[in-house]
Amino acid sequence: MAKKKGSRSIVREFDEYFGSGTLEDWQRLCRDIGLDGDFSSINKCRKALRTVHVNIYDLIDAVRAGRTPHRFGNAQQLAEYTVRTGKIYPKKHAKAMGPVKVLLRMIL
């Protein structure tokens, strides 16, 4: 099994990126991932994000570089990449109704 990425604090990095969880924060996340659509509510954002497979480490890196992160075709492809690279977000830090919870997929 791959080890989790060491020196980065991905939880802190994502929290800083996402903000307080306003509708605007959710809309920015959808845009940054490259989603198009009607994101007039947080629930619509959540629904759209459930269909996307991105690595959270790569999302943060892409946003910082002004790029759209790579989107995997399915959860299996994301899982294989995540395990291979060790870019595993700690599940215990996913807030029940937060964006990380929506983006997390079963990896192991």
Side-chain angles (χ1 to χ4, degrees), residues 33-49:
I33 288 178
L35 296 174
D36 294 319
D38 171 25
F39 303 118
S40 57
S41 72
I42 291 174
N43 283 335
K44 287 181 180 183
C45 293
R46 277 192 185 104
K47 185 175 180 181
L49 290 167

Side-chain angles (χ1 to χ4, degrees), residues 92-104:
K92 68 182 179 181
H93 291 286
K95 295 174 179 83
M97 295 301 289
V100 169
K101 183 79 171 184
V102 175
L103 291 173
L104 284 180

Side-chain angles (χ1 to χ4, degrees), residues 15-70:
D15 287 348
E16 288 173 4
Y17 157 74
F18 186 69
S20 62
T22 65
L23 174 58
E24 292 77 22
D25 294 331
W26 284 88
Q27 290 168 330
R28 184 184 66 251
L29 175 60
C30 289
R31 278 192 314 273
D32 287 348
I33 288 178
L35 296 174
D36 294 319
D38 171 25
F39 303 118
S40 57
S41 72
I42 291 174
N43 283 335
K44 287 181 180 183
C45 293
R46 277 192 185 104
K47 185 175 180 181
L49 290 167
R50 284 188 195 109
T51 67
V52 176
H53 308 289
V54 296
N55 181 277
I56 295 171
Y57 282 83
D58 292 348
L59 166 65
I60 296 301
D61 292 341
V63 167
R64 285 186 177 151
R67 295 180 288 108
T68 302
H70 176 76

